[in-house]
Amino acid sequence: AQTVTQSQPEMSVQEAETVTLSCTYDTSESDYYLFWYKQPPSRQMILVIRQEAYKQQNATENRFSVNFQKAAKSFSLKISDSQLGDAAMYFCAYRTLPAGKSTFGDGTTLTVKP
Amino acid sequence: DAGVIQSPRHEVTEMGQEVTLRCKPISGHDYLFWYRQTMMRGLELLIYFNNNVPIDDSGMPEDRFSAKMPNASFSTLKIQPSEPRDSAVYFCASSRQGLNTGELFFGEGSRLTVL
């Protein structure tokens, strides 16, 4: 069974600074998706960034980027120029291919200090 | 296009009562997932459907929980009888194979409180 581990229950960052959230996963599959989702206090989960396992290039979406290390089964999220609106719980998730179930980590609560 | 729609947003009920949560996935999506979120257990997958057929229900806690998807645009999660430990936020999510993105689109969740 696939597992996703987020070892940082809480993280804090100063506004405009950079923060990295960690995620490791365990799988025997060679092809899969990895995601970071954001859950703000409003509760609805939204996608931050996606990485296909077959792609070696790290995904980037504006201020958000990942460091994907397939051999190490590591998938960290870097948030640059942190903004107050980035405060939320962030979930790392794994999804099997072809489209199957998604497994989520326990989440990291990010606080952004003004 | 409307997102995933869940109802009710909030439900407060007494132990022993039947609870029905509803979900309308995004039109054209062929996968539907039910998750439960609690502080203690995080986000747990309860069951998921593909083309209205349950594929994996191994996360359903016990026989008190049941889920149906009678058609492509509607699913229910039923708890009967409800217990205080069922108190949680229940999320429905949908996705579409073929878009090749794997992304799940979530509803706003149904917060259930069982007294």
Side-chain angles (χ1 to χ4, degrees):
Chain A
Q2 293 83 16
T3 58
V4 177
T5 302
Q6 293 179 248
S7 59
Q8 306 153 316
E10 297 178 346
M11 290 286 284
S12 178
V13 64
Q14 207 71 31
E15 194 176 6
E17 296 295 308
T18 295
V19 64
T20 298
L21 308 184
S22 301
C23 173
T24 59
Y25 59 95
D26 187 25
T27 183
S28 58
E29 305 291 333
S30 60
D31 207 7
Y32 45 86
Y33 291 118
L34 294 165
F35 305 88
W36 280 97
Y37 288 89
K38 172 184 178 181
Q39 186 180 38
S42 66
R43 212 167 69 194
Q44 187 165 18
M45 199 91 70
I46 54 175
L47 180 69
V48 174
I49 198 165
R50 166 197 314 112
Q51 176 81 42
E52 291 91 340
Y54 68 87
K55 290 186 178 179
Q56 293 187 343
Q57 186 172 6
N58 289 323
T60 299
E61 288 287 342
N62 300 314
R63 298 182 296 106
F64 299 87
S65 62
V66 298
N67 183 2
F68 174 47
Q69 302 289 328
K70 190 172 184 179
K73 297 179 182 175
S74 170
F75 183 62
S76 61
L77 173 70
K78 185 171 81 171
I79 306 174
S80 304
D81 186 24
S82 297
Q83 301 176 359
L84 295 177
D86 295 334
M89 181 168 279
Y90 287 81
F91 289 91
C92 179
Y94 166 103
R95 188 172 189 188
T96 56
L97 285 176
K101 65 181 181 181
S102 283
T103 302
F104 286 77
D106 288 337
T108 297
T109 299
L110 178 66
T111 301
V112 181
K113 297 179 179 178
Chain B
D1 188 14
V4 175
I5 299 172
Q6 291 187 245
S7 65
R9 290 292 312 279
H10 303 275
E11 172 105 3
V12 180
T13 191
E14 293 192 344
M15 183 173 62
Q17 296 299 304
E18 178 178 292
V19 173
T20 299
L21 307 178
R22 298 172 176 80
C23 175
K24 177 179 169 56
I26 293 173
S27 177
H29 282 195
D30 50 1
Y31 281 83
L32 185 138
F33 302 79
W34 281 102
Y35 285 88
R36 176 172 70 175
Q37 185 177 32
T38 61
M39 290 289 290
M40 292 298 294
R41 301 175 69 89
L43 201 60
E44 304 173 273
L45 176 65
L46 300 177
I47 185 171
Y48 79 97
F49 296 83
N50 177 220
N51 291 322
N52 314 336
V53 176
I55 303 300
D56 185 347
D57 66 354
S58 60
M60 295 286 263
E62 48 196 275
D63 291 345
R64 297 185 298 106
F65 285 70
S66 62
K68 294 182 179 179
M69 192 165 186
N71 56 62
S73 59
F74 184 66
S75 176
T76 60
L77 178 67
K78 187 172 293 188
I79 308 172
Q80 166 64 17
S82 58
E83 297 183 2
R85 60 191 168 123
D86 302 330
S87 297
V89 180
Y90 291 81
F91 286 99
C92 176
S94 70
S95 73
R96 180 181 168 188
Q97 187 174 4
L99 284 182
N100 211 30
T101 66
E103 176 185 357
L104 264 59
F105 294 81
F106 284 82
E108 294 182 306
S110 295
R111 180 179 293 279
L112 173 65
T113 302
V114 183
L115 303 175

